[in-house]
Structure formats: structure tokens, C-alpha cells
Amino acid sequence: MTETDTVPPLTPLREDWSTALAVVAHPDDMEFGAAAAVARWTAQGKRVVYCMVTSGEAGIDGMDPDEARRVREAEEVESARIVGVDKVEFLGLPDGVLEYGLPLRRAIAGAIRRHRPDVVITGNYRETFPGGMLNQADHVATGRAVVDAVRDAGNRWVFREQVESDGTEPWGGVRQVWVAASPDARHGADVSATFDAGVASLRAHAAYLDGLGWEDFDPAAFLASMSAPTGERMGVEHAVAFELLLMNGED
């Protein structure tokens, strides 16, 4: 029995949208899987904005956090450029010690109100990744906060100072939230034509990858180990899987 016999096929994500906002905890979170899908959508003329909750300053053991912040922000801007994203926002919250709560929800709701997306993309906030590997605390806090911040952003009486003082209007137009790398993924995007762009975007995190100390790490092989089996579930060469959360009752 093959894996495709036991794992259900993936339903293609809808692509009748124009703007997406990707909100993740760290620089590199999009590149470890979802960036090839972003390259697909920007090639279609869609606008995708990246929002990094932290600058990944605690992510390189041998580099001072202030230097790591500068290096990792620059690497993220370049990796985003490779997949057609020209706007990367850094919220500046502390790396490694994010906590789910009102400050995090407030910051993300503000980003949603500023960029007014149709779709919000985030990372896995479940306890584990597919295959059972334990998730990381910043990912869990950010993903949970994203889901709640989507609702917060549409309510003018929640974080009302953003509306009354900052002049940012409420935004309730998010139709769906797409969660990358979720063990509950049932949808996907064919990235066969943009797989190489996704690989290049991960390679752009050279300092971070070097700091991890993973000997003989091959970004292409690593990404293919996920995208090829996912592609089998869609009948294509490479695909990226997402959990789909409906907002405002829209399917």
C-alpha cells in the first residue's frame, strides 16, 4: 500500500483573490515550505505582503542578536524578492519568547488593517508538524494569534486606538486563513512550476542556514522531501499543503 492510498487527495486552494498577507513568527518560516506557493501567486499578478512578527534575532547562536537582526532582516527581504514579494514588514516583537495574548493580537490586527488582505497565510500552530515533530513555541503563539487577529481586525471596538488615533480603518474582508505545514492540511497549491524559486528563496537565508550547523544541508532536497509527496496527493510533481480556515462563513 502506498502513501497515496492512505492519505486523502488535496483540494486545490481557490485563486479568485487579489491580495494576501503572510504573517509568521520568524524570517525563514515562509521559506521552509510555503514560498514556492507565493511565487505561484505573484506570477499570476496577485499581491502578497510578508509580515514577520520577530526579526529572528535569537536564531543564530554564534551571532549577537543586534547583528543577527540586521542580517536576518536583509536575508528575508531578499528571499521575499525572489518569489515576487516587494513588501516585508517587521513587527519587532522579541524572538524566542513570544506569548499568545493581547499585545500579539494587537500587533497582527494592525497589520491586517493596514494591508487589507483577502487571504491571510500563517504557519502551523498545532502541537506537532506532519510526521509528529514537536512544534516551536513562537510558531504556536503566532498562528493562534493570527486566527484571532483576523476577527479582531474587523471589529472597530477591539483595539479601537488603532482606529481612533492611528486612523486605520477596520478590515473584515479576510475570506480565508491558510495554515502552512499543518498536520490537518486538506488543501494544496501546485508549485511544480515555481519549486525552483522556492528553493532559491530558502538558499537566500545563507547566514541562518550556516548558523544552524546542519552539515550537508541541501535546500532543494529538503523542500522536495515535502513537496513531492504532497504533489502526489494532487497528481502533480510538487505541491504545498495548507489547512484552510473559513472566515465570515465563506467557503
Side-chain angles (χ1 to χ4, degrees):
M1 180 175 290
T2 67
E3 183 177 354
T4 53
D5 292 327
T6 60
V7 181
L10 296 173
T11 301
L13 289 167
R14 291 176 58 170
E15 294 184 329
D16 58 341
W17 52 274
S18 60
T19 302
L21 174 66
V23 183
V24 292
H26 314 110
D28 80 80
D29 283 353
M30 289 298 293
E31 288 68 49
F32 271 97
V38 172
R40 170 187 173 91
W41 296 321
T42 58
Q44 295 172 350
K46 304 181 192 303
R47 183 169 188 258
V48 181
V49 175
Y50 278 5
C51 178
M52 306 289 118
V53 174
T54 79
S55 294
E57 67 276 7
I60 303 177
D61 183 69
M63 187 178 293
D64 180 83
D66 288 338
E67 176 66 6
R69 177 182 295 106
R70 183 191 67 77
V71 168
R72 299 202 66 196
E73 286 186 357
E75 288 187 340
E76 182 57 40
V77 169
E78 173 59 14
S79 67
R81 183 198 65 78
I82 290 169
V83 295
V85 174
D86 60 13
K87 175 67 175 178
V88 182
E89 186 173 89
F90 297 91
L91 297 184
L93 277 70
D95 182 24
V97 292
L98 290 177
E99 293 182 300
Y100 174 85
L102 294 179
L104 185 55
R105 282 170 51 189
R106 179 182 292 110
I108 296 171
I112 293 168
R113 287 169 168 172
R114 285 191 296 276
H115 299 293
R116 308 174 79 78
D118 308 305
V119 170
V120 170
I121 303 164
T122 193
N124 178 30
Y125 58 89
R126 306 297 183 182
E127 182 177 336
T128 62
F129 286 102
M133 186 177 74
L134 189 66
N135 203 350
Q136 193 262 359
D138 283 0
H139 300 156
V140 175
T142 297
R144 287 183 57 209
V146 165
V147 176
D148 289 334
V150 167
R151 290 187 289 255
D152 296 334
N155 187 335
R156 72 173 55 254
W157 307 121
V158 176
F159 309 131
R160 58 192 295 180
E161 73 281 358
Q162 293 177 350
V163 178
E164 296 172 354
S165 300
D166 301 345
T168 306
E169 286 297 310
W171 178 247
V174 177
R175 295 157 47 186
Q176 299 180 348
V177 174
W178 297 344
V179 184
S182 169
D184 293 336
R186 298 291 183 270
H187 289 72
D190 177 2
V191 299
S192 302
T194 55
F195 174 76
D196 289 345
V199 172
S201 73
L202 180 55
R203 290 191 193 281
H205 290 276
Y208 177 65
L209 295 176
D210 183 65
L212 290 175
W214 294 347
E215 292 186 9
D216 302 319
F217 176 73
D218 181 349
F222 175 83
L223 292 175
S225 72
M226 298 181 291
S227 65
T230 304
E232 290 183 21
R233 297 174 65 186
M234 296 189 74
V236 299
E237 184 177 6
H238 294 283
V240 175
F242 294 86
E243 179 183 356
L244 184 153
L245 305 177
L246 299 177
M247 311 304 295
N248 301 320
E250 181 169 343
D251 61 17

